[in-house]
Amino acid sequence: MAEQPRNNGPRRREQAPEAPKEFEELVINIDRVSRVVKGGRRFRFKALVAVGDHKNRIGVGVAKGTDVQMAVAKATDVAKKHLITIPVVNQTIPHENEVKYSGARVLLKPAAPGTGIIAGGVVRSIIGLTGIRNLLSKSLNSTNKVNIAYATVEALRTLVPKEEWTTQAEKKTAKKEAK
């Protein structure tokens, strides 16, 4: 009696290719954190993840989990829930901006075409996921990666598109005249 070949379902190569992902995920940092309990220490993992679509949308999330994969998955979900859209002019930001978040200060400046992204560490990682190609930056006062990441996102969030510059100036002059 001839043995029947087993059919274990479709092979991995035969499966349909997955649709391209809308966002690129980048794990910036993973830390092992502990909590002291009666029997000793409980270890968990904290992940800092940035997601971006290279089309002017970016989000950053931090989450903890019992293992690295769970922490990264949770942080990715948090980042996708807190997406922001960035105004970009000629592949750079419209104006200079400095933001303080907790202990971290981040300075972002527009740059001439061909300059590239002049940034260090966390700021470079986050800017790399946006549509920005030319930027100067400096991270000041802190080396805490989470605070620098949130300061960078806050600096990008507070950017004002070039079209709204005149309207804001008009609002300020109207307020002065009203006083």
Side-chain angles (χ1 to χ4, degrees):
M1 184 162 121
E3 193 170 315
Q4 293 284 329
R6 278 205 235 157
N7 186 4
N8 291 338
R11 301 280 180 246
R12 195 169 289 241
R13 282 177 281 177
E14 297 167 5
Q15 290 178 352
E18 291 183 19
K21 289 186 176 181
E22 183 181 2
F23 295 104
E24 183 182 337
E25 303 166 9
L26 181 65
V27 178
I28 296 172
N29 191 33
I30 295 175
D31 285 327
R32 189 178 79 164
V33 294
S34 65
R35 179 177 65 204
V36 178
V37 293
K38 184 179 176 184
R41 292 189 184 103
R42 287 257 166 87
F43 292 106
R44 293 168 67 186
F45 294 91
K46 180 173 79 171
L48 172 63
V49 175
V51 296
D53 63 355
H54 297 284
K55 296 176 189 159
N56 309 339
R57 289 199 307 172
I58 188 78
V60 171
V62 178
K64 293 178 193 168
T66 52
D67 61 347
V68 174
Q69 279 185 329
M70 186 183 297
V72 169
K74 284 181 177 180
T76 303
D77 290 343
V78 170
K80 286 181 180 177
K81 287 178 185 173
H82 296 95
L83 287 173
I84 61 165
T85 304
I86 305 160
V88 175
V89 179
N90 298 332
Q91 296 186 336
T92 189
I93 58 176
H95 59 87
E96 185 177 322
N97 199 2
E98 184 175 354
V99 168
K100 185 173 191 289
Y101 180 89
S102 188
R105 268 182 33 218
V106 172
L107 171 66
L108 302 178
K109 286 185 175 184
T115 304
I117 298 172
I118 309 296
V122 178
V123 179
R124 175 182 284 275
S125 301
I126 292 172
I127 298 297
L129 295 174
T130 65
I132 298 170
R133 298 286 166 256
N134 303 301
L135 182 91
L136 301 171
S137 80
K138 182 69 181 166
S139 174
L140 304 158
N141 289 0
S142 176
T143 56
N144 183 325
K145 292 181 180 182
V146 174
N147 285 345
I148 292 172
Y150 279 125
T152 304
V153 170
E154 190 59 34
L156 293 171
R157 176 183 286 126
T158 57
L159 290 173
V160 179
K162 204 168 190 174
E163 302 83 43
E164 294 179 18
W165 286 359
T166 55
T167 57
Q168 285 190 346
E170 291 168 359
K171 288 178 186 176
K172 286 181 182 177
T173 56
K175 283 183 181 177
K176 288 180 182 176
E177 290 172 3
K179 290 181 181 178

